[in-house]
Amino acid sequence: MTTETARPTHRNENENDGTTYVHGYSDTEARRLGDQADTLAELLHAGTAYPAGSRVLEAGCGVGAQTVHLLAAGPGMLLTAMDLSADSLAQARARVAAQAPDADVSWHHGDLHRMPFPDGAFDHVFLCFVLEHLPDPAAGLAALRRVLRPGGTITVIEGDHGSAFFHPQSPAAGRTIDHLVRLQAAAGGDGLLGRRLHPLLTAAGFTDVTVRPRAVYADGGRPELAEAFTLRTFVAMVEAVRAEALAAGLTTAEDFDRGIADLRRAAEPDGTFHYTFFKAVAVNP
Amino acid sequence: MTTETARPTHRNENENDGTTYVHGYSDTEARRLGDQADTLAELLHAGTAYPAGSRVLEAGCGVGAQTVHLLAAGPGMLLTAMDLSADSLAQARARVAAQAPDADVSWHHGDLHRMPFPDGAFDHVFLCFVLEHLPDPAAGLAALRRVLRPGGTITVIEGDHGSAFFHPQSPAAGRTIDHLVRLQAAAGGDGLLGRRLHPLLTAAGFTDVTVRPRAVYADGGRPELAEAFTLRTFVAMVEAVRAEALAAGLTTAEDFDRGIADLRRAAEPDGTFHYTFFKAVAVNP
């Protein structure tokens, strides 16, 4: 459920080896992230429209899947988009050039823990599916707060894989989701971060912290959402860790595949699927 | 998460022995249901306001916790409120007499599977936290469809205990919720019914089936909701099956109590709690 590539540690010299980014950097993944962002744009971006002239930092822009939606909602904003992966950043530039050619974007290749920007350089900070990959999200929030001016806002969007439930129920499907959560934890992340947003932002010193769930619910009355979200976004994300889950000895091929088949079953006309994202907005006092 | 007492089987001669109603019939439970209904009234009843003169059946009105909200939103409606428990019905009458003395309500003591009403007797049917207690919810929906006129609507509200998640995470708390679900299943019900509403209504022959999640989310920014919903509604409901869970050998007192303590922990200022209700509206073609 991530579109971001900001990796927190400096140990890894190879930017794109995928060892700390649980979802990998393949072309298939880049397409999945674009599909996901387009499907969820209205749900996740509603309420976020930065004024013309405002200085906005998107931390961990990844392949630009959210960037184009930010720019569409905030014409005239002055956006700085940063990411730890040069490859992802190049894809984001290409996406923005194609979809928002007139946008004013500065591209920055770097780590959000070591940003060269002066204190208070931005009016607003935006990050989507980034904190879930940081071993120390509190440190990440502290770094972001430093570059935010007093009175400026931070907007954070995260998923929570423990929020997923579906019909028909399936223990195998539940275990398969758990494997993704476990692999993400082994990589230093937290696939259940959504539920922690309020305490994390509060502990980081932000005020007026407002967190609201934004749910995706697909049933037989919304077959296009079952296709776009349940199958092409969620199941695709879980299925992508198959090789890694097997290599780690977490499960057997048979059990993993049964879990995936059961998740797909929930996208049929008499199935249902429910997932909750969280969107937080807070102020730097 | 139930306020209803409609029991589907005819085997039990003692209306109030509590053997098939997982939440019991105590005064404490009646108070809990009232608190819950008041806390959730806006969330659950928004969008439901029956016109003056319309003939409405509330099936399984229980102690009247939802009835008073229906009447407040629909002055002039002609309500028939029915329940299988004479005691609950008496409490509902007293509640309505106190809170909506001018309302036009017919009280009916009976089983929704054997209603004496003619075919198509009602313009609208409403039920809240009832299907979750029926061993055969499809049969219940068929019986309700019979008394609904062509073109009339059915509105169904259900919870889904599998939707609950919280911070800090706790396997013990998860197990404790599972005990409630298991006991409810042993009594012939389904504490995870919310996710099944769309397929159940569709299979029962209703059309224009629209199901939407309605989420409750409490965090440190909403301490009154953490108190009213997390503690006084959800934890109270789970805690009420303690003796039954121990008697059934599902758990130890120590483990159960740890689960309850961990659920209470989620209501502290740095905790979070999330639960999803589902509201369905459908048409009898």
Side-chain angles (χ1 to χ4, degrees):
Chain A
M1 205 62 62
T2 176
T3 70
E4 301 302 333
T5 62
R7 287 179 299 160
T9 61
H10 314 140
R11 293 167 305 197
N12 198 322
E13 295 302 309
N14 179 350
E15 295 277 355
N16 285 338
D17 69 355
T19 54
T20 64
Y21 184 61
V22 72
H23 307 298
Y25 287 97
S26 68
D27 288 351
T28 309
E29 173 65 7
R31 246 196 326 276
R32 187 186 75 78
L33 297 175
D35 282 357
Q36 165 184 293
D38 295 341
T39 300
L40 298 176
E42 196 178 341
L43 179 77
L44 300 183
H45 285 273
T48 300
Y50 296 113
S54 59
R55 303 161 301 161
V56 179
L57 171 68
E58 184 187 7
C61 66
V63 297
Q66 310 300 332
T67 316
V68 291
H69 294 291
L70 282 181
L71 292 168
M77 64 189 277
L78 309 174
L79 182 65
T80 299
M82 68 173 287
D83 203 90
L84 189 57
S85 160
D87 279 1
S88 295
L89 210 59
Q91 291 182 62
R93 289 184 83 138
R95 189 183 295 251
V96 166
Q99 294 185 35
D102 298 332
D104 185 339
V105 183
S106 300
W107 301 95
H108 178 71
H109 177 213
D111 183 331
L112 69 78
H113 296 78
R114 299 181 297 180
M115 291 179 287
F117 314 118
D119 292 4
F122 297 99
D123 301 305
H124 305 286
V125 168
F126 176 91
L127 61 166
C128 181
F129 309 141
V130 175
L131 289 186
E132 61 165 328
H133 297 294
L134 307 188
D136 187 352
L141 288 174
L144 292 167
R145 195 180 152 203
R146 181 189 69 77
V147 301
L148 187 57
R149 70 162 167 81
T153 70
I154 186 169
T155 298
V156 189
I157 298 171
E158 293 287 343
D160 190 310
H161 303 336
S163 76
F165 63 98
F166 35 86
H167 174 74
Q169 280 185 264
S170 156
R175 286 194 297 273
T176 303
I177 296 169
D178 287 345
H179 299 323
L180 169 61
V181 172
R182 193 173 298 197
L183 290 168
Q184 188 163 348
D190 180 1
L192 312 179
L193 195 130
R195 70 189 72 182
R196 295 170 59 202
L197 272 178
H198 193 280
L200 278 169
L201 285 160
T202 303
F206 291 96
T207 58
D208 301 303
V209 181
T210 303
V211 179
R212 292 291 177 268
R214 300 206 173 181
V216 181
Y217 166 67
D219 61 27
R222 296 168 154 181
E224 68 300 329
L225 189 59
E227 168 71 25
F229 185 75
T230 310
L231 296 181
R232 288 212 310 273
T233 299
F234 189 81
V235 178
M237 174 184 68
V238 178
E239 199 165 17
V241 301
R242 184 178 190 276
E244 205 180 340
L246 296 180
L250 293 179
T251 180
T252 64
E254 188 188 355
D255 195 57
F256 190 92
D257 294 343
R258 186 185 310 126
I260 294 295
D262 287 357
L263 284 175
R264 291 186 172 280
R265 174 70 185 81
E268 292 183 19
D270 61 345
T272 67
F273 187 87
H274 192 284
Y275 187 94
T276 302
F277 294 90
F278 289 87
K279 183 168 184 173
V281 180
V283 174
N284 182 30
Chain B
M1 205 64 61
T2 176
T3 69
E4 302 301 332
T5 63
R7 288 180 298 160
T9 61
H10 316 140
R11 293 166 306 198
N12 199 323
E13 296 302 308
N14 180 348
E15 295 279 354
N16 284 337
D17 68 359
T19 53
T20 64
Y21 185 61
V22 71
H23 307 300
Y25 288 95
S26 69
D27 288 351
T28 309
E29 173 65 8
R31 246 196 325 277
R32 187 186 75 79
L33 297 175
D35 281 356
Q36 165 183 292
D38 295 342
T39 299
L40 298 176
E42 196 178 341
L43 179 76
L44 300 183
H45 285 272
T48 299
Y50 296 112
S54 59
R55 301 161 302 160
V56 179
L57 171 67
E58 185 187 7
C61 67
V63 298
Q66 310 299 331
T67 315
V68 291
H69 294 292
L70 283 181
L71 292 168
M77 65 188 278
L78 308 174
L79 182 66
T80 299
M82 67 173 287
D83 203 88
L84 189 58
S85 159
D87 279 1
S88 295
L89 210 59
Q91 292 182 62
R93 290 185 83 136
R95 189 183 295 250
V96 166
Q99 295 186 36
D102 298 331
D104 184 339
V105 183
S106 299
W107 301 95
H108 178 71
H109 176 213
D111 184 331
L112 68 80
H113 294 78
R114 299 181 297 178
M115 290 179 286
F117 313 120
D119 292 4
F122 297 99
D123 301 307
H124 304 286
V125 168
F126 176 91
L127 59 168
C128 181
F129 309 141
V130 175
L131 290 186
E132 61 164 328
H133 297 295
L134 306 188
D136 187 352
L141 288 174
L144 292 166
R145 197 181 150 202
R146 182 188 70 74
V147 302
L148 187 58
R149 71 160 166 82
T153 70
I154 186 168
T155 298
V156 189
I157 298 171
E158 293 287 344
D160 190 311
H161 303 337
S163 75
F165 62 98
F166 36 85
H167 175 73
Q169 280 186 265
S170 156
R175 286 193 298 272
T176 303
I177 296 169
D178 288 345
H179 299 324
L180 169 61
V181 172
R182 193 172 299 197
L183 290 168
Q184 188 163 350
D190 181 1
L192 313 179
L193 196 130
R195 70 188 73 182
R196 295 171 59 202
L197 272 179
H198 193 280
L200 279 169
L201 286 160
T202 303
F206 291 96
T207 58
D208 301 303
V209 181
T210 302
V211 180
R212 292 291 178 268
R214 300 206 172 181
V216 182
Y217 166 68
D219 62 26
R222 295 165 154 184
E224 69 299 330
L225 188 59
E227 169 71 25
F229 185 76
T230 309
L231 296 181
R232 287 212 311 273
T233 299
F234 188 82
V235 178
M237 175 183 68
V238 178
E239 199 165 19
V241 300
R242 183 178 190 275
E244 205 181 340
L246 296 179
L250 294 179
T251 180
T252 63
E254 188 187 356
D255 195 56
F256 191 93
D257 294 343
R258 186 185 311 125
I260 294 295
D262 287 357
L263 284 176
R264 291 187 173 281
R265 173 70 184 79
E268 292 183 18
D270 62 345
T272 67
F273 187 86
H274 192 282
Y275 188 93
T276 302
F277 294 91
F278 290 88
K279 183 169 185 173
V281 180
V283 174
N284 182 29

